[in-house]
Each structure stands twice: as C-alpha cells, then as structure tokens.
Amino acid sequence: MSDEPTQRDYRPTVFLPKTDFPMKAGLPQKEPGIQAKWEEIGLYEKLREARSRREKFILHDGPPYANGDMHIGHALNHVLKDTVVRTQSLLGKDAPYVPGWDCHGLPIEWKVEELYRKKKKNKKDVPAKEFRAECREYAQKWVDVQREQLKRLGINGRWDKPYLTMRPKAEGAIVAELHKFAETGQLYRGAKPVMWSPVEETALADAEVEYQDLTDSPQIDVAFEIVESAIPELVGAHAVIWTTTPWTIPVNQALAYGPDVEYHALDTGDKTLLYAVEREFDFHFRLSANDNPISGKVVWKGKGSDLAGTIVRHPMHHLGGFYAKPRPMLAGDFVTTDSGTGIVHMSPDHGEDDFDLCKANGIDPVFAVMGDGRYRDDWLWLGANDLDAEGKERRRSVINKPFNAPEGPICSDLREAGALLSASADYQHSYPHSWRSKAKVVYRCTPQWFIAIDEHLGHLPAISPAEQRWEGEGGDSTIDEEVTAGSPTLREIALGEIASTRFVPEKGRNRLRSMVEGRPDWLISRQRAWGVPIALFVHRESGELLVDPDVNRRIQTAIANDTVDAWEESRAAEYLGPDRNPDDYEMIGDILDVWFDSGSTHAFVLESDEWPELQSPADLYLEGSDQHRGWFQSSLLESCGTRGRAPYKAVLTHGFTMDPKGMKMSKSLGNTVDPLKVMEQYGADIIRLWALSVDYTEDHRIGDEILKGVGDTYRKLRNTFRYLLGALSDFDYESEGVETAQMPELERYMLHRLAKLDANLRTAIDDFDFNEYVRALAEFTNEDLSAFFFDIRKDRLYCDAPDGLERRAYRTMLDILFQALIRYTAPVLVYTAEEVWSTRFPDRASIHLEELRELPAEWIDGALAGRFDAMRELREDVMEAIEPLRREKTIRSGLEADVSVPSSAIPDGFSDADLAELFIAATVVRGQGSTVEVTRTSDNKCGRCWRLVPDVAEDGALCSRCDEVVTEMDAAA
C-alpha cells in the first residue's frame, strides 16, 4: 500500500444546482396532460374571475370555415390571436376570447355535394331541409375537430360555448341586421353583371375570386357590317372588334368607340375595315398570323366622335329575331387603344362598362346565359334547338374551352358568316376563377340584392356618425326625410372610420381605404341553399319591397327559434299577419352572402348577453391580409350601415406562410407543412415559437430547417429555466433574501437590464410586435444571462458559503429573474411555462393566472449601466485575446490566464479583483499598452473551486475562501 495521503474529494462540498426538470422536453408527450389539467381546473373561467372588473381588451375572433383540418395558416393566425389575448391579460386586463366558426355558404355546401357525387346522388332530388340538415351536421363535425386541434395548440378560450353562425340565435340576429338595412332604405334589388360561377351556379363576392395567369386564352377579331352612318364612306364597311370571350358575341347588343380616339377605314378590296389607327400594327399582325394579310387604301379618317349615330348589324343577323335588331355604335369613355382594335363590342349582360353604357342608352340585358353557363333553351343561336349534323346539341357552358376555341361552334359560325377575321388560342392574361372550384367565372347579369354604398343615410347624423339605436334598444329606426340630403353615405362613413382606426402594419389602412373607395354596391345575394335567407317579401304586382318592422320581428323570432328552416312558404301567412294576403307576396329564395354573416358577428357576439364578458366595439380584429377585401371590409360596411361606426378600434393583418423557398404552399406541389404533424413531432410550443419569431406582417416561411432553428432557440430558453430551477432549489427569501440596495453592483446592473427588457417587452405588447418580443427575450436570456451573468456568478453559487452576501444576493437576483422570465415566456411557450412553474411551485395555481409585476423605477441606473456596458465591451476584447491560447491548448480556460488590459480602457470603479472575477481570469493587471495581453498563470489550482489564485499552496490544495467554507461545513457535520 502507498503511504501517500489520498487527496480529498471536494465534490460533495460544492453547491451544484439540483432539479428534476429534464433537459429533454418531450413536448408531444407532456402537452396533452397539461392541457387536460387546464380543462380540469377550468383555467378560462378562473382567469375571468381573476380579471373581473378590470379594464377590458376585446379581440373579436374572425370565424374560419368549418370545413377541414387545421392548416398552418390557421395555426399562425390562432397563435397570434392567443398571444395578443395572453399578453393583454399579462398586463392585468380582462381579455376574454370567444372563438367562432363560419358555418354557412358554399365551402360547406360544396363539400356536401362532393359527398353526394361520390354516392351518385343528385342534390336536386334532396329536399331543401334535408340538405341543410346535412350541411349543418357536416359543419358541426368540423367545428368539433378544429376545436380540439386548436385546444391542442394551447389556445385558451371559451371552448365550451363558441359562437357559430349556424346557431339559431345567430341566424335570427343576422336576419335582424339585414332588416335594419331594409328598414333604412339601403337595400334594393337590381339587375347588374356580377361575378358568377357556372360550376357552382351562384354569384361570388370579390373575396371568393382568385386570378390565374393563362397563356392559351382565345382572341378573335370580328367584323360588324355598318348599315347606317352620317359618313357615306362607312356605309357597307365593317367595324372590327376584338375580344377574348367569344361566348359573349351571341349576346352582343352594341359597339363602343372612344370619342377622342383616331380611326380610319381601310379598303382592302374584299372589305373596308374600321379600326383605331394606333392599333393598326397589332391588328394587321393578328390577321397575318391567321393567313389573312391585308393591305389597301385609307378611304376615311376621323375622330371617334364623328361616328355618332352609326348603326351596325350583328354578324348572325340572318337568324332573325334578336339578331336582326340594329346595333348602335355608342361613345364610351372607357374605350382605349391599349389593346384590341379600339372598338369594343357591348353585351350588357356580361360586363360592368357594357351594362352602364347600354343602360344609359336604353338597352336592357336579355339574360341569355343560365346559371349553369349555357344559353337559354329558346336562344336562337346555340340554344337547345341548335343541333349539329348528327342531331346533337351544340350548346355547351360558356366557360367550356372547346366551345370558345378557334374551331368551336361560335368561331365556326362567324367564319361561315364571313365575319371572323382572326382567331387563335394564344392570348396571355390574368383571368378570374372561383377559389373553391378553381373553374373560370364570368360576369353575368341577374336580379340580385344590393346594399347601396352611395345613398345618403337619413338614419345617421350628418356630422359625427354615432351608434344607431333601434326600436327595442332605446330608439327609433324611422328615417327623417328632411335630413336625408345632408346625411353621409355608407362609403363616406366607412372611409371616415378607416381614417380613425389603428392599423398594424400601417399599410393596411391604404389597402382597405382604396378598396372601399373603388368598390361598387355590396352584392349580398347568393343562389344557394345553405345559408341565412334574405328573409323579405316583395309585392308581386308592384315589385315593392315590404318594409314592416312587425313582420320583420316575427320572421326574426321564428328563425331564432327554429333555424333558417323557418323561412318557408307554409309560414308566409304567419309572418305577414292577418291584414295581408300571402298570394300577393313573393318570398325571396336567395340566401345572404356569407360575408354578410361574418360581417354581422359583432352584432350577435360582441353585443349579445350570451357572452357578457365581451363588449363592442372590439379593441382588435386580427386576420390575414386577404381579409381587407373580406371580413375587415364586410364588418366595417355592416356596422357603419347600421351603427354609424366601425366594429373595431384596431386592425392587425398577417401575411401568408410559404415553403422554405418562398413558394406558395400547394398539395399538388407537395410542399405543405401540416401543423398536426409538427405537433406530433416537435410539440405545440415549437409551432408557437415559430409563429411568434417570424415577421408575421409579411409573407414568411416554414420548413424542417427553419423548425430546427426554432428548436435551438427553444432549447436555450428551456435550459435557462432548468438552470434557474436548479440554482433556486430550496431558496427561501425570508431567510436568504437580500434587499436590492444591499446587492453588489453586478446584481444591480442586472436589475437595470431587466427593467430595460421589461419596458421593451411592454412596448412590443402594445405594438403587437411579437417578433421583437421573442427576439428581445431570447437575446436577454442568451447574452445577458447565460453568456454573462450566469457565467460570472456560477463560482459564487457553487462555492461561496450559503450565508455569504454575494451568494445570497445572486440567488435573490435569480428569483427576481425567474419571476419575471416565467411571466414573459408564458404567452409564448404556454405548455413549457406551465411545466416550469409547477416544477417550482407544485401547489400554486396556473402561471397563466399571473400578471406582470411593476418593477421599481429605481432599478434603472444609467450611470451604473454605462460603466458595466463599457466593461462588457472590454470583456469581449479579453475573451477574444484568450481564445487563441485556448485553441493552441496553452491554457484550457480563462481561469488559467493572467490578463493585462490597457489602463485607459478600464471603466472607473472596478478593482483588479473585480475585473478578474468579471473576466473569469486568474488575475487582471493594468498595462500601459494599447492591447490586451494574455499569458498562462503560474498560480496553483484550488482543488474545490478550480480557480488558480496566489493563496493556493499547491495544485489540489484549497484557496482561503474554500478552506473557510469547508471548515464550517466539517464543523457542522
């Protein structure tokens, strides 16, 4: 046996952090249990109790469609909403959240019809009530699915009672809002060309239309023979039009010219052709490409205004009837020479400019195209009786590609009539499509219901629009005709409210304003089955809309009790009352645009006693940027038309989520990211951290590598809490706490840094700048804590005596940091924050019931911060100088380094010993040079704290500090 004494193992004397909090998160396994705990304790209700009678903050949820699993856009949207609500609650406000769903309309109806088609079932064979019941059942199924998915995402809300637009009370309230427009004269029925989907057989709102770039659209040049003109040279000539919609030629009723455009007539020997001079090159090129080159002599030249009174005839005039009627040439200010021939053919059924110009000249629509896109059965050209040589019907939907092709029936007939000058299928342009069916849409003139945008609203004050109160709400709904002329229009009120609303980002204001400035009257009718009916009566003989508040109230009550199924012919007498004959009235069969449904949610959610925790107007509406033309706008118009004000004080918009390459996500491209799978793999907190780390105000990206980066950020935050939990094990402020005034300067500097962070985060909350919120929080934990404060003070924590002032001050500071950081993190990492909180305080209520603490103003110390900021810059220089020696293995760490720093670079108030501790070096001396110098120290290493200091006699012996601590521990053992 060796006679050498065995060196003592000092590890049991070191105060290392102790915690059961694991480094590995295991979020997918833990999060469901935490969610179950929240439901068990009734977290949402407890939060309402805790914040009762506080200042309110109301975020009104824009309802998603109940028709499928949650996608990544849903996830981002709801995380943002949840974070807004949680951060406002963190500020001490009462911030309830009532989620909602849009349950009516084409998205759900379309899905039910898809199920029918799979079963070879025809919707037209199903009774309307039965069909609506299936739509209701389908919507409820997906409400339940999405509700569980959103709860899994950590969204805290009134999940036991969300609002649904298909609830009977909601349906009745939506009808009541419609009736307000009717009773104040804002509603009318008119025939106008509207966006129409032949596939879905319904009118579409702008928000339901998307544009696709096409490269193979048809374009044709057609000659219309001039039969009358004040210009003799033009009689017998042909006015040439150009169009990309051949299917509109069978419904042509006029031609339009630009009054200031220069035209000439070219005698080609075969025909004399009239077209704009400026369009000659492109026109000749199209004809040459169709093997129809032309040349000749100009026989007339003049302004478009000279063409007044000119009459042409339709190329198919030989069919008689509609086609035999003369077609006038009309002056149109909208006619340009940007494309075509400078002459535009007019079909009032299928274009807004066409409709307006023809209406001004006494030409009415003929409603030739049916809802399915085919011409009427009785239409002379390409109607039901227009058969080919084999006796088969030539008629097709007007969006049918072969139907419009150069060899299709329209072009073939025009060619045979000698009127087709050119035809090709190579035109490139952007064309509207239904965003659901992805099929082309058309402009189609049909009788529809509209809300007038530019009518003066006599029920609202001429100046300072205020909330309108209706009968039963403390006021009267009648219009004072004397003030009507000076009253504002709906457009004017809406624009005024946009000016006074806060927008985040600010560019949203201009976008919404430009849309409202240029929009037409609001088309609110749809020709479908699943929706809230336009529950109104029209007198069959006079065509007048019945406006009777008593009738309206009976309708509203019935629907609120019995759902939209209450609007049926068998109950007409019940609604009209004893003084009216049901046979004299038409019950409107259309349903409301779903944007009217969702635009009315402020009325039946925020103003309803069903959710007493809410109030109107909302503090915030938050949705994607596409909702400037959707929910933001419909809600604004609905509220301004009925209440004279916006339903919101602020509007926040977010961009769209792209793939890692910045491409739009598409199932066909296979680049979608499923949030449900991300939660299964990484956990909901990772999705939340991603959503709050991106600049959500712009389009942003997600992918595996991006999520891995988010995972790194998460691990650093988690490890910060793990360190805090371990370092604060058995901490008791009563016996160990140190008043801040007695703390060493480093701790007081960290109080300053924490106060600055607190102010920064509060500003980020006010600005809804969660990207900055997360960035500042992560930077503080990484740079100020892990890389600086924790690094410097770990020696005090591990090796100082438990009752030493510096160690107690450090642990007190760690407790202050913990109490602040856990609150800052709670709105972001909702599950992890709960796990951390319950690890330290297993008997306390949820972290999500806590509020931010007001930090003392005296923690801000600019002079102290200035000194430490300068010291930190010098510390970076020292670390940089140590690094080469560490790489060369001259030293293993800064603890083995003797450092000389320029005396002039050292801030006032720091001793050499202070600097050695702050730089984590063996010694620091003040040099006269201009650079930091580092050498290996010759001092010995303490066997307990591993510092190399002069008072250690030999490697493994104890420094004076450790010797004193160990002696006390041995004596107490």
Side-chain angles (χ1 to χ4, degrees):
M1 294 181 61
S2 171
D3 294 332
E4 293 183 12
T6 303
Q7 190 171 18
R8 179 174 175 179
D9 182 359
Y10 292 108
R11 283 179 296 180
T13 71
V14 177
F15 307 110
L16 294 175
K18 297 177 182 178
T19 181
D20 294 328
F21 187 76
M23 185 180 298
K24 186 175 181 180
L27 293 176
Q29 293 74 40
K30 290 178 183 173
E31 288 174 343
I34 296 173
Q35 176 67 45
K37 175 187 172 185
W38 290 336
E39 292 189 35
E40 181 183 344
I41 67 172
L43 177 60
Y44 181 81
E45 292 73 18
K46 285 186 177 295
L47 191 54
R48 298 284 68 75
E49 294 171 9
R51 300 292 189 275
S52 64
R53 295 184 295 278
R54 298 284 191 87
E55 177 189 352
K56 285 187 177 292
F57 183 94
I58 306 300
L59 181 149
H60 182 37
D61 186 30
Y65 280 124
N67 67 335
D69 285 312
M70 174 179 71
H71 56 67
I72 196 65
H74 282 134
L76 175 106
N77 176 269
H78 283 85
V79 167
L80 290 175
K81 290 174 180 175
D82 188 57
T83 306
V84 168
V85 170
R86 288 178 184 273
T87 52
Q88 293 297 322
S89 180
L90 201 60
L91 295 176
K93 297 178 184 177
D94 182 12
Y97 175 65
V98 175
W101 274 272
D102 205 343
C103 304
H104 293 129
L106 199 52
I108 290 159
E109 191 166 344
W110 188 253
K111 290 292 185 180
V112 173
E113 288 183 27
E114 281 184 355
L115 296 175
Y116 279 6
R117 286 190 284 273
K118 289 179 181 178
K119 299 176 182 178
K120 300 188 185 307
K121 192 174 178 182
N122 193 328
K123 170 193 168 185
K124 295 178 181 178
D125 298 333
V126 179
K129 277 189 177 181
E130 182 181 326
F131 179 74
R132 286 194 292 266
E134 292 192 59
C135 289
R136 193 178 296 276
E137 182 182 350
Y138 180 91
Q140 187 62 57
K141 166 195 166 184
W142 285 109
V143 166
D144 295 340
V145 169
Q146 288 187 13
R147 171 166 39 197
E148 293 307 309
Q149 292 169 345
L150 291 169
K151 286 164 64 176
R152 177 66 185 83
L153 195 56
I155 312 302
N156 189 34
R158 188 75 181 272
W159 294 114
D160 62 325
K161 192 178 180 182
Y163 78 83
L164 308 177
T165 59
M166 69 178 183
R167 291 180 69 238
K169 281 189 177 180
E171 292 174 333
I174 293 167
V175 170
E177 293 300 302
L178 169 71
H179 288 160
K180 289 176 183 179
F181 282 99
E183 291 171 14
T184 53
Q186 300 178 71
L187 186 68
Y188 70 93
R189 181 158 65 172
K192 290 184 178 181
V194 297
M195 287 284 195
W196 184 272
S197 170
V199 170
E200 294 143 320
E201 296 189 45
T202 188
L204 299 179
D206 287 345
E208 297 170 302
V209 174
E210 62 185 13
Y211 285 79
Q212 296 181 17
D213 293 330
L214 304 179
T215 60
D216 58 353
S217 284
Q219 57 174 332
I220 61 174
D221 289 282
V222 182
F224 284 69
E225 184 181 358
I226 298 172
V227 293
E228 292 181 30
S229 180
I231 305 166
E233 296 90 337
L234 295 185
V235 177
H238 291 76
V240 182
I241 67 93
W242 169 86
T243 182
T244 60
T245 53
W247 63 269
T248 58
I249 297 293
V251 203
N252 167 273
Q253 295 202 64
L255 303 186
Y257 57 82
D260 297 322
V261 175
E262 286 196 6
Y263 296 89
H264 69 200
L266 183 72
D267 184 354
T268 67
D270 177 31
K271 287 184 174 72
T272 297
L273 304 178
L274 176 69
Y275 54 90
V277 174
E278 193 174 332
R279 298 303 307 162
E280 182 167 49
F281 177 82
D282 287 343
F283 173 52
H284 285 210
F285 179 82
R286 288 197 301 274
L287 267 60
S288 296
N290 279 261
D291 298 324
N292 188 21
I294 60 170
S295 62
K297 177 183 177 182
V298 174
V299 296
W300 177 84
K301 188 173 184 178
K303 289 274 190 181
S305 54
D306 299 332
L307 299 173
T310 298
I311 303 294
V312 303
R313 64 180 181 181
H314 196 283
M316 303 300 288
H317 60 90
H318 60 277
L319 295 175
F322 170 78
Y323 295 102
K325 296 177 182 179
R327 268 64 175 166
M329 292 190 72
L330 307 173
D333 293 334
F334 54 84
V335 178
T336 69
T337 56
D338 293 341
S339 60
T341 63
I343 301 174
V344 181
H345 101 86
M346 295 283 98
S347 175
D349 285 81
H350 303 297
E352 293 178 306
D353 290 332
D354 309 46
F355 177 86
D356 292 338
L357 182 61
C358 288
K359 182 180 179 181
N361 287 274
I363 302 173
D364 296 322
V366 292
F367 310 108
V369 176
M370 299 187 296
D372 63 0
R374 297 180 302 157
Y375 299 115
R376 288 182 348 222
D377 289 350
D378 63 346
W379 202 242
L380 285 173
W381 185 20
L382 297 169
N385 297 319
D386 190 338
L387 309 178
D388 62 18
E390 298 177 357
K392 295 180 179 179
E393 188 177 307
R394 297 199 302 159
R395 178 175 59 169
R396 298 287 186 275
S397 170
V398 296
I399 62 171
N400 180 276
K401 193 171 182 179
F403 189 66
N404 289 278
E407 302 304 322
I410 298 173
C411 289
S412 296
D413 289 356
L414 291 173
R415 189 178 292 113
E416 186 176 331
L420 188 68
L421 302 179
S422 79
S424 63
D426 56 1
Y427 188 64
Q428 301 181 20
H429 65 151
S430 183
Y431 192 87
H433 290 66
S434 166
W435 71 270
R436 295 182 191 91
S437 67
K438 307 304 178 186
K440 286 183 175 181
V441 300
V442 298
Y443 271 104
R444 176 173 179 255
C445 191
T446 59
Q448 301 286 347
W449 289 92
F450 298 87
I451 289 173
I453 299 297
D454 294 311
E455 291 294 322
H456 291 282
L457 306 184
H459 65 289
L460 297 176
I463 306 173
S464 303
E467 180 175 358
Q468 168 68 18
R469 296 197 176 277
W470 301 89
E471 292 181 277
E473 299 177 6
D476 187 10
S477 64
T478 57
I479 303 174
D480 184 349
E481 294 183 0
E482 294 182 3
V483 301
T484 299
S487 298
T489 67
L490 179 51
R491 192 190 307 274
E492 290 169 345
I493 298 172
L495 291 173
E497 290 298 290
I498 291 171
S500 60
T501 298
R502 178 187 178 192
F503 284 84
V504 181
E506 175 61 27
K507 64 184 179 182
R509 184 190 313 279
N510 292 336
R511 186 169 185 189
L512 183 54
R513 182 175 59 218
S514 65
M515 289 180 175
V516 172
E517 283 175 340
R519 70 158 297 134
D521 287 350
W522 186 3
L523 166 65
I524 64 166
S525 51
R526 296 292 183 272
Q527 292 66 48
R528 303 296 291 186
W530 176 231
V532 176
I534 296 182
L536 297 166
F537 289 97
V538 173
H539 195 274
R540 293 186 188 278
E541 189 172 311
S542 68
E544 289 186 5
L545 175 66
L546 176 62
V547 179
D548 185 328
D550 291 332
V551 172
N552 290 343
R553 271 195 291 273
R554 287 193 286 269
I555 295 170
Q556 294 161 21
T557 301
I559 291 176
N561 290 332
D562 303 327
T563 79
V564 294
D565 289 339
W567 186 244
E568 57 181 355
E569 292 281 354
S570 63
R571 299 182 68 171
E574 171 191 340
Y575 301 141
L576 289 168
D579 298 331
R580 292 187 176 91
N581 184 352
D583 294 338
D584 294 338
Y585 290 90
E586 170 199 358
M587 288 183 76
I588 304 305
D590 293 345
I591 65 168
L592 281 165
D593 169 19
V594 290
W595 292 113
F596 190 94
D597 283 22
S598 59
S600 302
T601 55
H602 67 93
F604 64 84
V605 179
L606 301 183
E607 299 175 9
S608 168
D609 57 6
E610 289 193 75
W611 296 278
E613 66 265 38
L614 303 179
Q615 65 184 23
S616 181
D619 292 282
L620 184 68
Y621 274 34
L622 186 165
E623 296 299 331
S625 57
D626 58 334
Q627 295 307 312
H628 290 108
R629 65 173 182 167
W631 190 55
F632 296 148
Q633 188 174 161
S634 66
S635 299
L636 176 70
L637 295 177
E638 204 289 328
S639 184
C640 286
T642 55
R643 290 150 178 79
R645 58 157 173 79
Y648 41 66
K649 299 175 185 177
V651 169
L652 186 153
T653 52
H654 61 78
F656 295 97
T657 304
M658 306 296 184
D659 76 358
K661 297 179 181 178
M663 296 179 63
K664 185 177 179 180
M665 290 190 182
S666 167
K667 289 182 179 178
S668 61
L669 295 176
N671 64 344
T672 58
V673 173
D674 185 348
L676 303 176
K677 291 182 179 178
V678 174
M679 285 194 287
E680 287 177 8
Q681 183 176 355
Y682 297 107
D685 271 355
I686 298 301
I687 291 184
R688 296 181 65 95
L689 186 56
W690 161 78
L692 301 172
S693 298
V694 300
D695 180 3
Y696 67 80
T697 63
E698 302 289 346
D699 291 346
H700 44 270
R701 304 180 185 190
I702 191 172
D704 288 340
E705 291 303 314
I706 293 171
L707 288 172
K708 287 177 182 177
V710 172
D712 289 340
T713 301
Y714 172 82
R715 278 187 288 276
K716 291 175 182 177
L717 287 168
R718 184 178 182 87
N719 285 339
T720 296
F721 281 114
R722 186 169 186 271
Y723 175 83
L724 287 169
L725 289 169
L728 289 168
S729 174
D730 70 16
F731 175 77
D732 176 41
Y733 184 84
E734 294 300 321
S735 61
E736 193 176 338
V738 175
E739 295 295 327
T740 55
Q742 297 177 327
M743 289 182 173
E745 283 191 332
L746 178 57
E747 276 68 24
R748 286 190 282 119
Y749 171 66
M750 293 312 299
L751 291 174
H752 171 91
R753 294 294 298 164
L754 180 62
K756 286 292 188 181
L757 173 68
D758 186 83
N760 190 1
L761 297 184
R762 288 173 186 268
T763 299
I765 291 173
D766 290 341
D767 294 340
F768 308 114
D769 190 352
F770 302 122
N771 172 267
E772 171 60 20
Y773 187 98
V774 170
R775 187 207 61 78
L777 181 59
E779 184 178 275
F780 180 80
T781 57
N782 294 337
E783 302 299 325
D784 286 286
L785 298 184
S786 297
F788 178 68
F789 188 47
F790 293 170
D791 196 30
I792 292 169
R793 282 296 193 235
K794 64 178 180 287
D795 174 71
R796 295 286 186 186
L797 176 68
Y798 299 166
C799 299
D800 272 13
D803 59 354
L805 175 64
E806 288 85 356
R807 187 176 190 275
R808 290 191 297 112
Y810 179 54
R811 293 235 291 173
T812 303
M813 185 66 218
L814 291 183
D815 183 54
I816 292 171
L817 286 168
F818 178 89
Q819 297 289 353
L821 292 178
I822 192 63
R823 288 166 171 79
Y824 299 151
T825 305
V828 180
L829 305 177
V830 296
Y831 290 106
T832 302
E834 193 71 88
E835 182 190 4
V836 170
W837 183 257
S838 61
T839 297
R840 187 173 182 203
F841 305 119
D843 298 325
R844 288 198 194 178
S846 170
I847 178 59
H848 300 295
L849 298 174
E850 298 293 320
E851 300 175 29
L852 282 185
R853 296 177 172 180
E854 292 293 333
L855 303 187
E858 58 266 23
W859 285 8
I860 297 292
D861 189 334
L864 179 68
R867 288 175 48 231
F868 268 85
D869 289 344
M871 181 275 298
R872 289 180 73 171
E873 291 184 17
L874 180 58
R875 187 173 185 265
E876 288 298 317
D877 294 338
V878 171
M879 298 296 179
E880 188 176 333
I882 289 173
E883 183 58 23
L885 277 71
R886 192 192 63 79
R887 283 199 305 267
E888 296 165 2
K889 300 190 182 336
T890 303
I891 60 175
R892 284 172 292 183
S893 71
L895 288 172
E896 298 179 355
D898 284 336
V899 180
S900 172
V901 296
S903 179
S904 59
I906 299 174
D908 292 339
F910 293 104
S911 68
D912 291 352
D914 291 335
L915 294 174
E917 183 176 13
L918 294 169
F919 296 164
I920 316 179
T923 62
V924 175
V925 297
R926 299 163 194 260
Q928 300 305 311
S930 59
T931 59
V932 175
E933 302 292 338
V934 179
T935 58
R936 193 187 192 288
T937 186
S938 59
D939 293 331
N940 295 315
K941 181 179 180 180
C942 174
R944 180 171 178 266
C945 68
W946 295 3
R947 292 184 306 153
L948 285 78
V949 288
D951 61 356
V952 177
E954 60 181 3
D955 280 351
L958 297 181
C959 64
S960 57
R961 186 265 310 260
C962 287
D963 184 61
E964 183 178 340
V965 172
V966 170
T967 299
E968 290 181 5
M969 293 179 70
D970 289 346

